[in-house]
Amino acid sequence: MNARFVETVSKPGKYFDGHGLFLRVRPNGGKQWVQRITIRGKRCEIGLGSFPAVPLDTARSLALENRGKAMLGGDPLQEKRKASEGMTFDTAVEEYLNLKLDEFRNDKHRKQWRSTLDTYAKPVLGRKQVSEISVQDVLRVLQPIWQTKTATAKRLRGRIESVLSWATVAGHRSGVNPALWKGNLSEILPKPSKIAKAQNQPALRLEDVPRWWADLNEREGMAAHALRFLTMTAARSGEVRGATWDEIEMRNGATSATSATQGAVWTIPASRMKNGREHRVPLSEPVVKLLETLPCLDGSPYIFFAQRGGMLSDMSISSVMRRMQAAKEREGAVGYLDPASKRAAVPHGLRSTFRQWAAEQGYPRDMAEIALAHFIGSDVERAYQRSDMLERRRDMMTSWSEFLMGLNGEAASMVLRVPR
């Protein structure tokens, strides 16, 4: 067998490889690795997990390891049975996350992983042995929220599947993964795409931007500074909260925010980007003036630091916008609502506001998309289009800052009052 065959084969049956390893394809499309092996003179079968959680190379390695143990007089089947004793879902989650959390790119993702499992899966599955968890158990977790919180339920299903796949490979359970979607839960639950429509993050109306910006300039605190920076750079919240002083480069090569500059650049490393690619952000003069007002905290690398010197929390910037909206509502005003959904605007929606502004101002589509760190075109197009239009984007971002302030021309760069 080869990896392509394992991925595409769909006809039910048994497909043999070597060392007694074979792939069992079930009528429902599920695929399970099984090894036939003789242990102390007795022929038996050992389940090695399901595909794609266990790829071909891993199955071969496990089969070879089991064969070696049996040849030396060991009992890999008994070892597997012993390992499966006492492993609850709660324990499996902890073991899995201890191994995998470092692979996640940002702290928000790590917290969400644990939070969804603790909130929805733990009450139902927490004390159950992973070897005893069935499709019906998984459905008891998913069905209450599948229709009402579809996006969350979809992610939750994938996380349960990952934990149980790890438990299978680690020898704590066997058989088809009960959280598997294709040929399993897909036959019971409606497709997520059929019951939930993606909702865009609520954005500001362009007409509301100048008064919203003026309102924001009345706000004090590090989170408000971060929100101003986020708005003028059209960056994501996580990119801003994780920004460090050494990512800022001034024209003269200095990395201090106290330098008078033109041509400053904020370079976000690939490790902090959603798309996994380094991203350069041209900093307009108003952005630099904002940076010049900010203090540096000894021992903290962050530009926008929390009280104890760490990174601002995920909710801190959002809280500024919520308080702004709440204040308007207390005054009896509508506040800052998305024109389509009528929901209160949120920080991520400001990127949509910027994108709409750029389109209406006639800026090239590719230039605006690059500013948002979106992939442009196909892989081939990206291979040939290697310019990030940095200096052209600098002019665009300067005009965006001027629009935020409700001013035109050079005077705009002089008006950025930052409360201290």
Side-chain angles (χ1 to χ4, degrees):
M1 283 190 287
N2 56 50
R4 179 63 178 167
F5 174 82
V6 174
E7 181 181 353
T8 58
V9 64
S10 58
K11 184 178 179 181
K14 299 177 181 178
Y15 300 88
F16 289 85
D17 190 61
H19 300 298
L21 177 67
F22 66 90
L23 180 70
R24 176 180 287 141
V25 180
R26 300 181 182 278
N28 65 3
K31 301 175 183 179
Q32 182 185 16
W33 295 109
V34 181
Q35 182 183 18
R36 285 181 180 171
I37 190 171
T38 300
I39 302 174
R40 298 173 182 172
K42 183 179 180 180
R43 191 176 184 183
C44 55
E45 293 186 351
I46 302 177
L48 301 182
S50 302
F51 180 86
V54 180
L56 175 60
D57 288 346
T58 302
R60 283 173 172 167
S61 296
L62 292 171
L64 186 60
E65 181 181 351
N66 288 338
R67 185 177 174 84
K69 289 179 179 179
M71 291 177 66
L72 294 174
D75 189 341
L77 181 58
Q78 184 61 29
E79 289 180 10
K80 182 176 181 180
R81 288 171 176 167
K82 187 175 180 179
S84 66
E85 295 176 358
M87 174 64 78
T88 65
F89 183 78
D90 275 349
T91 304
V93 169
E94 293 301 320
E95 294 285 344
Y96 177 82
L97 291 181
N98 286 337
L99 293 170
K100 292 292 185 178
L101 276 184
D102 289 341
E103 296 181 5
F104 302 146
R105 281 200 295 264
N106 59 66
D107 188 56
K108 178 180 179 181
H109 194 185
R110 286 191 287 269
K111 290 179 179 178
Q112 286 178 337
W113 247 87
R114 185 179 295 278
S115 175
T116 52
L117 290 170
D118 286 349
T119 302
Y120 301 105
K122 186 174 182 177
V124 177
L125 305 177
R127 296 184 179 181
K128 289 188 71 71
Q129 302 281 323
V130 291
S131 58
E132 298 176 356
I133 294 176
S134 66
V135 171
Q136 293 304 316
D137 293 321
V138 177
L139 286 173
R140 286 171 57 207
V141 175
L142 299 178
Q143 283 180 326
I145 61 172
W146 195 257
Q147 299 278 353
T148 57
K149 300 179 180 179
T150 307
T152 298
K154 181 181 177 182
R155 288 191 290 268
L156 176 62
R157 184 210 62 77
R159 290 165 187 172
I160 295 173
E161 180 185 356
S162 295
V163 172
L164 294 180
S165 292
W166 170 84
T168 300
V169 175
H172 301 293
R173 63 176 310 279
S174 61
V176 177
N177 192 322
L180 193 69
W181 176 252
K182 186 176 180 181
N184 187 48
L185 294 178
S186 64
E187 306 304 315
I188 302 173
L189 296 171
K191 291 182 179 180
S193 59
K194 299 295 184 182
I195 58 176
K197 295 182 179 179
Q199 287 189 323
N200 294 326
Q201 297 280 13
L204 277 175
R205 293 191 317 159
L206 288 179
E207 296 85 349
D208 290 340
V209 169
R211 70 182 181 91
W212 176 85
W213 181 260
D215 190 357
L216 175 59
N217 270 343
E218 298 295 325
R219 300 278 163 171
E220 300 183 3
M222 193 58 75
H225 295 325
L227 181 54
R228 281 186 275 273
F229 185 86
L230 176 150
T231 307
M232 288 191 286
T233 57
R236 297 179 178 90
S237 173
E239 296 160 6
V240 171
R241 291 183 296 107
T244 58
W245 287 113
D246 61 6
E247 293 173 0
I248 305 296
E249 181 181 0
M250 304 306 183
R251 184 179 62 172
N252 61 4
T255 56
S256 168
T258 59
S259 303
T261 122
Q262 292 179 350
V265 177
W266 172 31
T267 302
I268 312 173
S271 61
R272 294 208 304 105
M273 291 300 299
K274 182 178 180 180
N275 61 16
R277 297 176 60 180
E278 180 183 276
H279 180 54
R280 296 196 300 170
V281 181
L283 301 181
S284 63
E285 187 175 350
V287 178
V288 174
K289 288 183 179 296
L290 168 62
L291 292 175
E292 289 174 347
T293 69
L294 299 179
C296 296
L297 181 66
D298 289 342
S300 177
Y302 298 110
I303 297 174
F304 306 101
F305 53 84
Q307 287 185 348
R308 296 185 179 180
M311 189 168 64
L312 287 173
S313 72
D314 179 47
M315 299 303 295
S316 56
I317 298 178
S318 299
S319 294
V320 176
M321 290 194 71
R322 283 200 299 272
R323 288 194 294 269
M324 292 170 64
Q325 176 65 24
K328 288 298 179 185
E329 291 177 355
R330 286 195 297 270
E331 295 171 1
V334 173
Y336 310 109
L337 304 183
D338 181 281
S341 68
K342 306 304 179 185
R343 294 184 294 159
V346 299
H348 196 78
L350 298 172
R351 287 164 54 84
S352 296
T353 303
F354 164 77
R355 186 64 185 85
Q356 181 186 355
W357 170 86
E360 294 193 3
Q361 293 299 308
Y363 287 103
R365 172 187 175 276
D366 285 5
M367 189 162 71
E369 291 295 301
I370 290 173
L372 294 170
H374 289 164
F375 279 133
I376 305 299
S378 65
D379 291 341
V380 174
E381 289 177 303
R382 289 195 293 272
Y384 283 94
Q385 171 56 283
R386 298 183 181 182
S387 170
D388 63 0
M389 304 182 187
L390 183 68
E391 293 309 317
R392 292 180 64 191
R393 285 194 288 122
R394 187 181 305 282
D395 293 338
M396 178 176 66
M397 301 314 291
T398 296
S399 295
W400 167 242
S401 294
E402 293 171 354
F403 171 72
L404 291 171
M405 298 169 194
L407 299 172
N408 295 311
E410 296 181 357
S413 65
M414 304 302 294
V415 182
L416 178 64
R417 186 178 63 79
V418 181
R420 298 300 300 273

